[in-house]
């Protein structure tokens, strides 16, 4: 997921100016969870989310390959996003599973690092603990 945001980012104006497909957005001053009756947090920034890969947490390599393709195709528009007025952060977040006992190693290839650097994107790896599935004996 590619996310961009900032306290003075006019997400609506950016969306109207580029042909990127926006997955979702949020606006400063609006409720973070508008349908919640117990959480009334207010967004302190505006931002957008763009899907760079549809691959699941168990398919990190596919996420990386998809992100490289996404950036190769959309590099100029992503550069516009990184330099758009009010954008304070731009991050490409990969989700991955980790299994007990909790140690893993993840490597990003030079092509992804190069494209991310050209576009002004930070890389993030969000790791989610997952239980091993035990197969039943027949």
């Amino acid at each position: 997921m590619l996310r961009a945001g900032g306290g003075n980012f006019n997400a609506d104006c950016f969306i109207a100016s580029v042909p990127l497909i926006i997955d979702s957005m949020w606006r400063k001053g609006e409720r973070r969870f508008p349908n919640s009756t117990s959480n009334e947090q207010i967004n302190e920034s505006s931002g957008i989310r763009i899907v760079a890969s549809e691959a699941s947490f168990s398919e990190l390599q596919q996420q990386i390959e998809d992100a490289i393709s996404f950036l190769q195709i959309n590099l100029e528009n992503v550069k516009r996003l990184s330099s758009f007025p009010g954008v304070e952060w731009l991050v490409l977040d990969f989700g991955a599973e980790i299994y007990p006992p909790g140690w893993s190693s993840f490597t990003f290839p030079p092509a992804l690092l190069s494209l991310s650097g050209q576009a002004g994107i930070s890389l993030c790896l969000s790791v989610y603990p997952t239980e091993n599935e035990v197969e039943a004996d027949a």
Side-chain angles (χ1 to χ4, degrees):
M1 184 69 67
L2 180 65
R3 294 189 309 269
N8 295 312
F9 174 43
N10 185 333
D12 293 293
C13 185
F14 176 77
I15 291 169
S17 72
V18 296
L20 291 172
I21 298 171
I22 307 303
D23 178 66
S24 61
M25 68 177 297
W26 67 95
R27 293 180 183 90
K28 182 178 181 175
E30 292 182 350
R31 288 184 59 193
R32 185 168 181 190
F33 304 102
N35 298 325
S36 173
T37 56
S38 61
N39 188 335
E40 297 186 14
Q41 289 179 330
I42 302 297
N43 291 325
E44 296 181 9
S45 66
S46 295
I48 58 174
R49 290 178 195 88
I50 301 168
V51 175
S53 174
E54 297 281 350
S56 72
F57 292 157
S58 62
E59 301 173 302
L60 181 60
Q61 186 58 42
Q62 186 63 54
Q63 289 180 52
I64 291 170
E65 290 172 17
D66 292 347
I68 290 170
S69 294
F70 172 83
L71 290 173
Q72 288 171 331
I73 293 166
N74 297 291
L75 187 60
E76 291 309 311
N77 286 321
V78 175
K79 284 181 180 180
R80 288 180 61 198
L81 175 57
S82 69
S83 63
F84 198 82
V87 172
E88 296 171 8
W89 47 267
L90 180 59
V91 63
L92 187 56
D93 189 359
F94 295 87
E97 298 171 328
I98 189 170
Y99 295 92
W103 183 89
S104 289
S105 176
F106 304 98
T107 303
F108 293 112
L112 177 63
L113 299 173
S114 176
L115 288 163
S116 298
Q118 290 176 55
I121 300 172
S122 297
L123 295 181
C124 175
L125 178 64
S126 297
V127 181
Y128 300 89
T130 303
E131 293 295 323
N132 285 327
E133 292 184 19
V134 178
E135 294 187 28
D137 291 328

